[in-house]
Amino acid sequence: MKTKTKKSQDLRQQIMKSAVASFKIEGIKISAHIASDSLKKVEAKLRKSS
């Protein structure tokens, strides 16, 4: 299970870095904290819709 958890954490980090980079391209600066909060909200909505 540790491997799966590690992969999930790595994937979350990649998603957050991508989100920050995408906003930066648009000229919007967001912190890693805001990206993390946004990702949590998206994951919650996805769990709800499943």
Side-chain angles (χ1 to χ4, degrees):
M1 284 289 198
K2 278 190 175 184
T3 305
K4 187 173 183 178
T5 302
K6 177 66 174 159
K7 287 181 183 179
S8 295
Q9 289 173 346
D10 290 343
L11 182 58
R12 283 179 115 283
Q13 287 290 357
Q14 289 176 343
I15 291 169
M16 287 191 308
K17 285 180 183 179
S18 295
V20 171
S22 294
F23 278 99
K24 188 175 182 179
I25 289 170
E26 297 297 324
I28 302 168
K29 292 184 181 180
I30 64 168
S31 67
H33 176 72
I34 292 173
S36 176
D37 288 348
S38 298
L39 180 57
K40 287 177 187 176
K41 289 177 184 179
V42 168
E43 288 173 336
K45 286 185 179 187
L46 288 173
R47 277 192 299 272
K48 226 181 205 184
S49 69
S50 295

